[in-house]
Short mmCIF file of all heavy atoms in Angstrom, two decimals:
data_model
loop_
_atom_site.label_atom_id
_atom_site.label_comp_id
_atom_site.label_asym_id
_atom_site.label_seq_id
_atom_site.Cartn_x
_atom_site.Cartn_y
_atom_site.Cartn_z
N GLU A 255 19.56 -9.37 21.19
CA GLU A 255 18.38 -9.85 21.89
C GLU A 255 17.30 -8.77 22.00
O GLU A 255 16.17 -9.07 22.39
CB GLU A 255 18.75 -10.34 23.29
CG GLU A 255 19.74 -11.49 23.31
CD GLU A 255 19.19 -12.73 22.64
OE1 GLU A 255 17.97 -12.99 22.78
OE2 GLU A 255 19.96 -13.44 21.97
N GLN A 256 17.66 -7.54 21.67
CA GLN A 256 16.73 -6.43 21.84
C GLN A 256 16.20 -5.88 20.51
O GLN A 256 15.60 -4.82 20.47
CB GLN A 256 17.42 -5.28 22.62
CG GLN A 256 17.94 -5.68 23.98
CD GLN A 256 16.84 -6.18 24.90
OE1 GLN A 256 15.77 -5.57 24.96
NE2 GLN A 256 17.08 -7.27 25.61
N LEU A 257 16.39 -6.61 19.42
CA LEU A 257 15.89 -6.17 18.13
C LEU A 257 14.37 -6.30 18.09
O LEU A 257 13.82 -7.35 18.43
CB LEU A 257 16.51 -6.99 17.00
CG LEU A 257 18.03 -6.88 16.81
CD1 LEU A 257 18.48 -7.80 15.69
CD2 LEU A 257 18.44 -5.44 16.53
N THR A 258 13.70 -5.24 17.66
CA THR A 258 12.24 -5.23 17.58
C THR A 258 11.81 -4.61 16.25
O THR A 258 12.64 -4.10 15.48
CB THR A 258 11.62 -4.40 18.72
OG1 THR A 258 11.97 -3.01 18.51
CG2 THR A 258 12.13 -4.86 20.07
N THR A 259 10.50 -4.64 15.99
CA THR A 259 10.01 -3.99 14.77
C THR A 259 10.30 -2.50 14.78
O THR A 259 10.48 -1.89 13.71
CB THR A 259 8.48 -4.20 14.64
OG1 THR A 259 7.84 -3.81 15.87
CG2 THR A 259 8.15 -5.64 14.34
N PHE A 260 10.40 -1.90 15.95
CA PHE A 260 10.76 -0.49 16.02
C PHE A 260 12.20 -0.28 15.58
O PHE A 260 12.52 0.71 14.92
CB PHE A 260 10.56 0.04 17.45
CG PHE A 260 9.14 0.07 17.90
CD1 PHE A 260 8.69 -0.79 18.88
CD2 PHE A 260 8.23 0.95 17.32
CE1 PHE A 260 7.36 -0.76 19.29
CE2 PHE A 260 6.90 0.99 17.72
CZ PHE A 260 6.47 0.13 18.72
N THR A 261 13.09 -1.22 15.94
CA THR A 261 14.48 -1.15 15.48
C THR A 261 14.54 -1.20 13.96
O THR A 261 15.24 -0.41 13.32
CB THR A 261 15.30 -2.32 16.06
OG1 THR A 261 15.12 -2.40 17.47
CG2 THR A 261 16.78 -2.14 15.74
N PHE A 262 13.80 -2.13 13.38
CA PHE A 262 13.82 -2.29 11.93
C PHE A 262 13.25 -1.05 11.22
O PHE A 262 13.72 -0.66 10.16
CB PHE A 262 13.04 -3.54 11.51
CG PHE A 262 13.49 -4.79 12.20
CD1 PHE A 262 12.58 -5.74 12.62
CD2 PHE A 262 14.83 -5.02 12.47
CE1 PHE A 262 12.98 -6.90 13.25
CE2 PHE A 262 15.25 -6.18 13.11
CZ PHE A 262 14.32 -7.12 13.51
N ALA A 263 12.23 -0.45 11.82
CA ALA A 263 11.65 0.75 11.23
C ALA A 263 12.62 1.92 11.26
O ALA A 263 12.67 2.74 10.34
CB ALA A 263 10.36 1.12 11.96
N ALA A 264 13.40 2.00 12.34
CA ALA A 264 14.33 3.11 12.51
C ALA A 264 15.65 2.91 11.76
O ALA A 264 16.34 3.88 11.45
CB ALA A 264 14.61 3.33 13.99
N HIS A 265 15.99 1.64 11.44
CA HIS A 265 17.27 1.35 10.81
C HIS A 265 17.09 0.36 9.66
O HIS A 265 17.57 -0.78 9.71
CB HIS A 265 18.26 0.78 11.84
CG HIS A 265 18.46 1.65 13.04
ND1 HIS A 265 19.26 2.78 13.02
CD2 HIS A 265 17.94 1.58 14.29
CE1 HIS A 265 19.24 3.35 14.21
NE2 HIS A 265 18.45 2.64 15.00
N PRO A 266 16.41 0.77 8.60
CA PRO A 266 16.18 -0.14 7.47
C PRO A 266 17.44 -0.29 6.62
O PRO A 266 18.43 0.44 6.79
CB PRO A 266 15.07 0.57 6.70
CG PRO A 266 15.33 2.02 6.97
CD PRO A 266 15.81 2.09 8.39
N VAL A 267 17.37 -1.23 5.70
CA VAL A 267 18.43 -1.40 4.73
C VAL A 267 17.85 -1.19 3.33
O VAL A 267 16.67 -1.43 3.09
CB VAL A 267 19.12 -2.78 4.83
CG1 VAL A 267 19.86 -2.92 6.15
CG2 VAL A 267 18.11 -3.91 4.68
N VAL A 268 18.70 -0.72 2.41
CA VAL A 268 18.25 -0.43 1.05
C VAL A 268 19.18 -1.10 0.06
O VAL A 268 20.32 -1.46 0.39
CB VAL A 268 18.19 1.09 0.78
CG1 VAL A 268 17.23 1.78 1.74
CG2 VAL A 268 19.58 1.72 0.87
N VAL A 269 18.68 -1.29 -1.17
CA VAL A 269 19.50 -1.78 -2.27
C VAL A 269 19.43 -0.76 -3.40
O VAL A 269 18.47 -0.01 -3.52
CB VAL A 269 19.02 -3.16 -2.77
CG1 VAL A 269 19.15 -4.20 -1.67
CG2 VAL A 269 17.58 -3.09 -3.28
N GLN A 270 20.47 -0.74 -4.22
CA GLN A 270 20.51 0.15 -5.38
C GLN A 270 20.02 -0.59 -6.61
O GLN A 270 20.55 -1.63 -6.97
CB GLN A 270 21.94 0.66 -5.60
CG GLN A 270 22.47 1.54 -4.48
CD GLN A 270 21.78 2.90 -4.43
OE1 GLN A 270 21.42 3.46 -5.46
NE2 GLN A 270 21.61 3.43 -3.24
N ILE A 271 18.98 -0.05 -7.23
CA ILE A 271 18.43 -0.61 -8.47
C ILE A 271 18.24 0.53 -9.45
O ILE A 271 17.47 1.46 -9.17
CB ILE A 271 17.10 -1.35 -8.25
CG1 ILE A 271 17.25 -2.47 -7.23
CG2 ILE A 271 16.55 -1.88 -9.56
CD1 ILE A 271 15.95 -3.16 -6.86
N GLY A 272 18.92 0.46 -10.58
CA GLY A 272 18.75 1.49 -11.60
C GLY A 272 19.08 2.88 -11.12
O GLY A 272 18.43 3.85 -11.51
N GLY A 273 20.09 3.00 -10.25
CA GLY A 273 20.50 4.30 -9.77
C GLY A 273 19.66 4.87 -8.65
O GLY A 273 19.90 5.98 -8.18
N GLN A 274 18.64 4.11 -8.21
CA GLN A 274 17.80 4.56 -7.11
C GLN A 274 17.84 3.55 -5.97
O GLN A 274 18.09 2.37 -6.19
CB GLN A 274 16.35 4.74 -7.57
CG GLN A 274 16.16 5.84 -8.60
CD GLN A 274 14.68 6.03 -8.95
OE1 GLN A 274 13.89 5.10 -8.86
NE2 GLN A 274 14.32 7.25 -9.32
N HIS A 275 17.61 4.03 -4.75
CA HIS A 275 17.59 3.11 -3.62
C HIS A 275 16.15 2.66 -3.37
O HIS A 275 15.21 3.42 -3.54
CB HIS A 275 18.19 3.75 -2.35
CG HIS A 275 17.33 4.81 -1.73
ND1 HIS A 275 17.47 6.15 -1.99
CD2 HIS A 275 16.33 4.72 -0.83
CE1 HIS A 275 16.59 6.84 -1.29
NE2 HIS A 275 15.87 6.00 -0.58
N HIS A 276 16.03 1.39 -3.02
CA HIS A 276 14.73 0.80 -2.68
C HIS A 276 14.89 0.02 -1.39
O HIS A 276 15.87 -0.72 -1.21
CB HIS A 276 14.25 -0.12 -3.80
CG HIS A 276 14.06 0.57 -5.11
ND1 HIS A 276 12.94 1.34 -5.40
CD2 HIS A 276 14.85 0.63 -6.22
CE1 HIS A 276 13.06 1.84 -6.63
NE2 HIS A 276 14.20 1.42 -7.14
N VAL A 277 13.92 0.17 -0.50
CA VAL A 277 14.03 -0.42 0.83
C VAL A 277 13.77 -1.92 0.78
O VAL A 277 12.85 -2.38 0.11
CB VAL A 277 13.05 0.25 1.81
CG1 VAL A 277 13.26 -0.29 3.22
CG2 VAL A 277 13.24 1.77 1.80
N ARG A 278 14.58 -2.67 1.50
CA ARG A 278 14.36 -4.09 1.76
C ARG A 278 14.15 -4.23 3.27
O ARG A 278 15.09 -4.46 4.01
CB ARG A 278 15.55 -4.94 1.28
CG ARG A 278 15.69 -5.00 -0.23
CD ARG A 278 14.54 -5.79 -0.82
NE ARG A 278 14.62 -5.94 -2.26
CZ ARG A 278 13.96 -5.19 -3.13
NH1 ARG A 278 13.20 -4.21 -2.68
NH2 ARG A 278 14.05 -5.39 -4.42
N ALA A 279 12.92 -4.05 3.69
CA ALA A 279 12.63 -3.94 5.12
C ALA A 279 12.65 -5.31 5.80
O ALA A 279 12.24 -6.32 5.24
CB ALA A 279 11.29 -3.28 5.34
N ILE A 280 13.11 -5.31 7.05
CA ILE A 280 13.14 -6.52 7.87
C ILE A 280 11.81 -6.63 8.62
O ILE A 280 11.35 -5.69 9.25
CB ILE A 280 14.31 -6.47 8.86
CG1 ILE A 280 15.64 -6.31 8.11
CG2 ILE A 280 14.34 -7.73 9.72
CD1 ILE A 280 16.81 -5.96 9.01
N GLN A 281 11.21 -7.82 8.53
CA GLN A 281 9.93 -8.05 9.19
C GLN A 281 10.11 -8.46 10.65
O GLN A 281 9.48 -7.92 11.54
CB GLN A 281 9.15 -9.14 8.45
CG GLN A 281 7.79 -9.45 9.02
CD GLN A 281 7.15 -10.66 8.34
OE1 GLN A 281 6.92 -11.69 8.96
NE2 GLN A 281 6.87 -10.53 7.04
N GLN A 282 11.01 -9.44 10.88
CA GLN A 282 11.18 -9.95 12.24
C GLN A 282 12.43 -10.81 12.33
O GLN A 282 13.03 -11.19 11.31
CB GLN A 282 9.96 -10.78 12.64
CG GLN A 282 9.68 -11.97 11.73
CD GLN A 282 8.39 -12.66 12.07
OE1 GLN A 282 8.03 -12.81 13.23
NE2 GLN A 282 7.65 -13.11 11.04
#
Side-chain angles (χ1 to χ4, degrees):
E255 299 298 323
Q256 302 300 316
L257 297 178
T258 67
T259 52
F260 294 111
T261 309
F262 306 141
H265 305 282
V267 294
V268 300
V269 297
Q270 294 290 326
I271 302 175
Q274 295 184 332
H275 72 266
H276 299 281
V277 185
R278 290 291 182 261
I280 302 168
Q281 181 187 115
Q282 59 187 322

